[in-house]
Structure formats: structure tokens, C-alpha cells
Amino acid sequence: MDFELSQDHKVLRDSVRDFVEKEIKPIARRIDEEHMIPDELVAKMGQMGLLGSYLPEEYGGAGMDMLSYAIVVEEVSRACGSSGVLISAHTSLCSGPIYSFGSEAQKRKWLPALNSGQIIGCFLLTEPDAGSDCGAISTSFTRDGDHYVITGSKIFITNGGYRGTGVLFATSDKNLKHKGISAFIVDLTSPGVEILKNEQKLGIRGSYTTAFALDQVRVPAENLLGREGEGFKIAMDTLNGGRIGIASQALGIAQGAFERALAYSKERKQFGAPICDLQAIQFKLADMYARIETSRLITYKAAWLKAAGRSYILESALCKMMASEAATFVTKEALQIHGGYGYICDYEVERMFRDAKITEIYEGTNEVQRVIISKLLLG
Amino acid sequence: MKILVCIKQVPDMESRFKPDSAGVWFSETDLAFRMNEYDEYAVEQAVRLKEQLGGEPELTVLSIGPDRVVEAMKKALAMGCDRGVQVQDPSPHLKDPFQIASIIAAYAKDQQFDLVFTGLQSQDRGSAQVGVTVAELLNFACASTIIKFEYADGIVTVKRELEGGVKGIVKLKTPAVVTCQLGLNVPRYPTLPNIMKAKKKEILVIPVGDLLHEQPLAQTATFYAPAKKGTGVVLEGDVADQAERLIAILKEKTAVLR
């Protein structure tokens, strides 16, 4: 067993880290305050290849493995959780299923623009009455000649505000439950696609969370992803992979907050000595580090299993659950170590504290992760 | 045209350094390594020259050290170098700058390089001798501490940084060595696709024994952190009283007050 990153992974990590230090970290606070990731930054991330890390070179990706993808999302999220989730949702929820389930023609048509970042992707599954119970979606599709016609509504769509490419789920008959669901590749500039709003949120404020109304949206029949009725399977498989991305995002947020807390505990003096001399602070640091490091091990293992073509469903649920809980714990303790200053925006840990919470909720709540894990354990 | 870029892998300067058990260098356990900052300017300038000349020049990156230095070379390859040469040496830190330069010169002498780019100095040893010594051993022209580089028709024109903010413009005929200073350029980030392309580039490994035939001229005798100085005197208490005691000390121990 080798727990050391390969030289190629180290080169990748250091390159992304340098990029993030110079291009993202200095503007992370502004991204949060203005609720917007600057278009120039999205373009730069595209030029760096951060938006197509694990997709093959023949479709304009970088051709790296899942571990590289996890490293990219972690390093970016270390400075900015909003930018981290942009990459994660774009890559594993849009390009990912098109690559895994798309026809050769679909891959050639959609992936190059996604991998270069020219178009930003999203995943349209959740509806007002279908969250964790995603088999209950009611957005419907009917066939009309060489088109499908889709009507309904979608909410909480990460990256939706870019109106790029979406992998959208709809049902032919709600009574069929998950068996009636199909997946479509949709150009979100199509007539009938309306953005109702981009939500105001507790955290990851730079990331779009969008509500859509879909009114008789005509989608060419060739945009059906997989076969009719395969949508639920595609959604579940996609989310299994996506959890590695969210675990990496959570890990990055936790790591960023931990580094700030560690540094601050050495600088801040009270009672005539740095507060890191106090055992109360030392124990916090030990607990924070323990959760980050154990989450990282299971996240990297899940990425390794997926790349090796092995079953990784349990590990991806586990890493998402552990890393997100590490993130909320670590950011809370990082804020506490900063004391009153932690509550002030200038110190940035308050942003990380707010950004962390969503990782326990999206891509399957942690309660859903526990259902997945226990089901697999009980067979 | 053939171009050589010489790079060194150095510890991250944020590291905590401790002398090693032999007492002539720092302990490398638990250190994170990266490419010497000045060498990044050298790689960037070499890649820019290659681009200026339409990709024609062949760009070789050379590094001396154990297998970990391949990581720095892979970065240089991802930035745009064509091929790598690793001079395999488990203990480059025991070689003095003259020996390091001799190794590079021994490799370069039959290769017909037109230009050699090096960093001004390494961030860890900081001798600033290797680049200029390579030029001397190869009988190449040399300009050190460059902050601007131009090339046209076999003539290199560089701006050098001199003392007190003074600049100098120097023209050199190839073959030449230039040593690169902060301010020369902003090194590019290796992109993910280029990191992947770099994996396919050749890295030639040469044992250091094949190239090194020189004894050291300047060996490190000992290596230590300076002893902590006394902590000074802290005056406390009533301000007026502090001022009186300060005046007394200044009178007694200095020539400031008499």
C-alpha cells in the first residue's frame, strides 16, 4: 500500500495551489459579498483545464484520473467554496453523465465546450416536491415527432444561472415512479426555459442556485441521454460520482479554515502567551486535524476505487458524509479559535463556516448517505 | 537552436529547518520541495524564446539530485520544455558550487547548446556561483542577474540589475549563459492538459559518477542555527520611573547621553 501521492499528482496539486493562491484566494471574499464568480475567473479556470480534469483528451478534457479531480476541487475549495462547487457540479453532474451514458455523437457535440469551460454545465433533478425522494419528480415529457416536449419546474440547480448545458430529468408518467424517468441533454437557452430566480443563500454565495420554469421546452430526440426509462439509474450513478466532488469541496473548506485557525492560534496572544499554548486550543486543533485527515483518506480511496473501475458506492457515500461533517465541525472550531474576530468578515473563517453547511445537505443529505451505507452493510 | 535550462529543487521556504545528523546541511525529512523560484524565471524565459522562434529550438531541462527532483522537472516539462536530463545523485548537497557547475558543463560540452538559462541563485544555498561557473567552464559568454531578455539573429540583449537600482544593458553573442532574477517575467501555471503531455516526454537519467571528475574547492564545515541572543531588558512599572531608568541605562551603557 502506498499513501504517497505520485509525482504527477504532486505536480498537479502544486500547480493548482499556485493558481488558486494568486487568482482565487485574493478575491474569495469579494465573490461571497457580490454573490458572483467573475467571468474572467471562470475563463481562467477553463484555460487551466480545471473544468475538464478527468474527461478524456479526445473530448477536450485533460485526461486525468478521479484522484486528480478530487485534488482540483479540494485545492480550489481551500480558498473558495463557491468556485469549488462550480467545478464539482459542472464536471461530475453534467460532463460526467454525458461521458458515461452519452452516444459517441453526443460526446463529440457537448463535451468539448464543457471541458474548455466555454459552456458551464448543470444537473436538473430536484423539484419543489422531489428532493431526497427524487423518484417522485413530476416534470413531464411527451414525444412529438422528432422532438421531446418538456414541461415542469426545477429548483436548487447549482450553476443554473449560467444557462449553459443541463442534464435534465423528466417523467413520462408520474405513476410509474422511478421507472418513468428519462434523462435529456438540454440547451438552457432554448425557448420555454425560464429562470424564476437565483436564490439568496447562507453560504456558497458566489455559486448560482437557480429555480427554473420549463414550459413546453422542445428538445431534439437525439438529446435523449441513454434510453427512455433509464433516467433514474443515470441520476443515481451520477450522484455516486458527484459525492466524491462534494467530499473534496468539504475537505478543501475544512483545510482552509484549519490552516487559518492554526496560524491564528500562534499569533494571538492572551494572558501573555500565544493561545496555542493553551490545552483547550491544542485539543481543538488535534480534533480538527483528525477529522480532516481521516476524511481525506476515505475521499482519496473512493476516487481510487472509481478510477480502478471497482464498486465505490459505499465509499463515496462515506466520504461525502465524513468530509462534510468534518467541514462543519472544523469551520465551527476555527471560528471559535478566532474568538470575536472570527465573527468578523475580514477574517474569512465566518465565510468558510457558512459555506461548509451546504455540504451536509446537497448531493444527497447526510441522512440519505446513512441510508445508502446501512443498506449496503445489511445487504 | 538548442537551449538548456538548469533547475534545482529546493525545500519550500515556509518549512522549519533543522540541521541533519552529519551537521553540514539541513534534515530533509518531512520537507516539502518545489522548484527554485529563480529557476522558474529561467524556464519561463526559455519557453518564451522557444515560442518566439516558432517552436524550433529544442529545450532540455536538467536537474541534479535524487528521484524527488523529477517532480520539479515534470513541472518544467509541463511549462513547455521538451525533454529532461536527471543527473542521478543521492547527495547533491555535499557538492560545492564548483562541482555542480562541473557536472553541468561535463554534460553540456558536447551538446552544442546555444543558450543556457539558470536561476540567479538557489533559495537554499544561495551561492549564485553555478551559472557563471558553467559559462567559464564552457567558455561561453555570460550575463548574470538579468531582468529583461531579448533575442534576435544570434545576439542576446539583456537588462541587468546592478547595485542601488542602476540598470545595465548588455549584448552577448551565443553561445551564452544568462542567470535570471526576480522581475524578469511571471512564470506560467502548468495547465492540466500540459501536465498530462509532460508525462509522455523523455527524461534521460545519467549517474552523477559519469559526469563528476572534480574535487570540491569549498566544503561546508558545519551548519547550525545561530545561538539565541539574550532577550534584552524590558522596563515595566510607572512611566516616569521607566523613563528615569532608561536615561540611567543610556548614560551608563551608551554614548547617546552623557
Side-chain angles (χ1 to χ4, degrees):
Chain A
M1 236 180 152
D2 189 355
F3 286 99
E4 184 81 14
L5 288 180
S6 72
Q7 282 182 325
D8 292 308
H9 286 117
K10 284 187 196 166
V11 172
L12 166 75
R13 184 197 57 196
D14 293 351
S15 301
V16 178
R17 191 170 285 178
D18 286 348
F19 174 83
V20 170
E21 284 290 318
K22 293 199 186 82
E23 307 288 345
I24 303 184
K25 201 173 176 186
I27 61 167
R29 188 178 163 194
R30 179 155 66 89
I31 287 173
D32 177 65
E33 286 173 350
E34 296 180 1
H35 295 218
M36 169 69 82
I37 299 171
D39 290 344
E40 308 89 78
L41 176 57
V42 178
K44 281 180 190 167
M45 293 198 294
Q47 285 153 16
M48 264 298 277
L50 304 185
L51 296 170
S53 53
Y54 73 86
L55 282 302
E57 286 159 306
E58 55 184 310
Y59 305 115
M64 292 187 164
D65 58 9
M66 272 315 273
L67 180 56
S68 305
Y69 166 64
I71 290 170
V72 166
V73 176
E74 181 186 337
E75 288 299 327
V76 170
S77 304
R78 207 164 140 232
C80 177
S82 295
S83 304
V85 76
L86 183 148
I87 297 172
S88 180
H90 169 88
T91 315
S92 45
L93 298 187
C94 184
S95 312
I98 294 174
Y99 175 65
S100 295
F101 299 98
S103 65
E104 187 58 30
Q106 286 173 333
K107 291 182 206 181
R108 297 219 170 273
K109 177 172 181 190
W110 299 96
L111 290 179
L114 286 165
N115 286 331
S116 67
Q118 199 186 327
I119 288 182
I120 298 300
C122 63
F123 180 79
L124 300 98
L125 177 64
T126 299
E127 297 180 4
D129 295 320
S132 295
D133 182 11
C134 58
I137 60 168
S138 56
T139 293
S140 66
F141 73 89
T142 53
R143 181 82 187 232
D144 178 21
D146 56 0
H147 279 73
Y148 289 99
V149 181
I150 299 174
T151 294
S153 61
K154 294 287 172 184
I155 60 164
F156 300 164
I157 308 305
T158 302
N159 292 348
Y162 291 104
R163 293 191 83 120
T165 298
V167 171
L168 183 145
F169 297 84
T171 179
S172 58
D173 178 358
K174 196 170 181 315
N175 295 320
L176 291 173
K177 298 254 170 98
H178 59 271
K179 287 178 187 151
I181 298 173
S182 296
F184 304 89
I185 307 170
V186 179
D187 172 357
L188 295 173
T189 60
S190 305
V193 177
E194 187 195 347
I195 289 183
L196 294 176
K197 62 173 168 176
N198 291 308
E199 306 284 356
Q200 305 283 307
K201 304 187 293 294
L202 173 71
I204 55 161
R205 292 183 166 179
S207 158
Y208 281 120
T209 302
T210 307
F212 284 99
L214 307 162
D215 181 17
Q216 303 199 33
V217 180
R218 293 181 69 79
V219 176
E222 68 199 36
N223 288 15
L224 176 71
L225 188 61
R227 282 185 298 233
E228 275 191 35
E230 273 190 348
F232 189 78
K233 178 177 158 281
I234 291 173
M236 291 303 106
D237 185 87
T238 301
L239 290 170
N240 286 332
R243 282 171 193 138
I244 296 172
I246 296 308
S248 306
Q249 185 210 11
L251 203 49
I253 295 170
Q255 179 71 32
F258 174 73
E259 285 165 8
R260 283 172 186 271
L262 184 68
Y264 184 79
S265 74
K266 294 182 198 167
E267 288 162 16
R268 172 70 172 170
K269 285 189 178 147
Q270 288 291 278
F271 311 107
I275 60 170
C276 68
D277 285 359
L278 303 168
Q279 199 173 53
I281 302 296
Q282 292 167 355
F283 278 20
K284 280 189 196 297
L285 292 168
D287 286 336
M288 291 156 81
Y289 182 77
R291 297 203 192 195
I292 292 172
E293 190 61 16
T294 48
S295 303
R296 183 175 286 121
L297 287 173
I298 191 69
T299 304
Y300 286 8
K301 183 181 176 186
W304 175 78
L305 285 168
K306 185 173 193 303
R310 307 256 294 268
S311 168
Y312 68 100
I313 299 172
L314 192 146
E315 286 76 8
S316 76
L318 192 54
C319 72
K320 191 277 190 187
M321 181 181 106
M322 291 198 40
S324 60
E325 287 169 14
T328 50
F329 174 83
V330 169
T331 53
K332 178 171 79 75
E333 293 293 60
L335 199 156
Q336 189 70 17
I337 288 172
H338 279 75
Y341 290 110
Y343 207 68
I344 308 290
C345 297
D346 298 16
Y347 282 75
E348 303 204 49
V349 284
E350 65 83 31
R351 184 187 75 242
M352 297 170 174
F353 174 76
R354 289 185 287 106
D355 285 353
K357 182 59 198 172
I358 189 61
T359 63
E360 292 185 340
I361 300 170
Y362 60 18
E363 304 231 0
T365 62
N366 281 13
E367 290 69 27
V368 166
Q369 307 310 320
R370 285 175 166 83
V371 170
I372 295 169
I373 293 165
S374 55
K375 261 190 189 165
L376 287 166
L377 293 176
L378 294 166
Chain B
M1 177 182 261
K2 285 182 75 176
I3 301 171
L4 178 68
V5 192
C6 303
I7 67 169
K8 183 176 185 181
Q9 193 193 38
V10 297
D12 189 308
M13 290 300 134
E14 305 280 309
S15 313
R16 249 180 292 170
F17 293 96
K18 287 179 297 194
D20 65 10
S21 54
V24 292
W25 196 236
F26 48 78
S27 166
E28 296 191 352
T29 321
D30 298 329
L31 290 184
F33 287 86
R34 54 178 307 146
M35 195 194 303
N36 179 41
E37 182 187 333
Y38 301 95
D39 301 343
E40 292 201 4
Y41 308 135
V43 172
E44 176 63 30
Q45 203 59 47
V47 173
R48 286 187 189 186
L49 178 58
K50 180 181 167 77
E51 289 168 348
Q52 178 199 328
L53 299 177
E56 181 272 319
E58 190 198 49
L59 211 52
T60 302
V61 57
L62 177 147
S63 192
I64 303 170
D67 284 341
R68 63 170 161 74
V69 306
V70 173
E71 197 188 315
M73 294 173 64
K74 280 174 179 263
K75 179 174 183 180
L77 294 170
M79 288 172 75
C81 293
D82 298 306
R83 52 195 290 274
V85 173
Q86 181 203 0
V87 179
Q88 176 88 36
D89 181 0
S91 50
H93 60 281
L94 297 177
K95 316 275 185 300
D96 74 346
F98 171 66
Q99 286 178 301
I100 297 290
S102 300
I103 294 166
I104 296 168
Y107 167 73
K109 69 175 173 13
D110 302 323
Q111 301 280 337
Q112 281 89 43
F113 287 113
D114 300 282
L115 266 167
V116 179
F117 288 85
T118 72
L120 162 68
Q121 60 188 347
S122 59
Q123 286 173 288
D124 55 356
R125 191 181 290 272
S127 78
Q129 294 176 38
V130 172
V132 289
T133 310
V134 167
E136 177 64 22
L137 293 172
L138 292 174
N139 202 22
F140 281 17
C142 182
S144 62
T145 330
I146 68 163
I147 53 170
K148 194 173 172 200
F149 177 93
E150 283 170 5
Y151 173 85
D153 307 324
I155 302 290
V156 172
T157 306
V158 299
K159 190 190 276 187
R160 296 189 60 230
E161 189 178 77
L162 307 174
E163 285 300 316
V166 177
K167 309 283 189 283
I169 306 283
V170 178
K171 286 183 185 293
L172 309 87
K173 274 191 194 148
T174 58
V177 176
V178 291
T179 78
C180 303
Q181 163 70 317
L182 169 76
L184 176 63
N185 54 44
V186 179
R188 69 196 63 197
Y189 312 109
T191 66
L192 273 57
N194 286 338
I195 292 171
M196 287 305 285
K197 285 190 192 106
K199 285 169 96 163
K200 297 179 191 118
K201 292 179 180 175
E202 172 207 21
I203 296 179
L204 180 70
V205 180
I206 304 174
V208 67
D210 292 3
L211 296 171
L212 179 64
H213 310 291
E214 304 293 342
Q215 292 302 310
L217 298 177
Q219 267 186 307
T220 305
T222 56
F223 182 92
Y224 60 95
K228 280 190 183 163
K229 286 183 184 162
T231 50
V233 179
V234 179
L235 301 179
E236 286 175 9
D238 178 65
V239 176
D241 180 44
Q242 280 187 42
E244 273 185 30
R245 281 192 289 154
L246 176 61
I247 288 166
I249 291 168
L250 291 173
K251 278 185 178 166
E252 184 191 324
K253 306 217 169 180
T254 75
V256 178
L257 291 173
R258 289 195 187 278

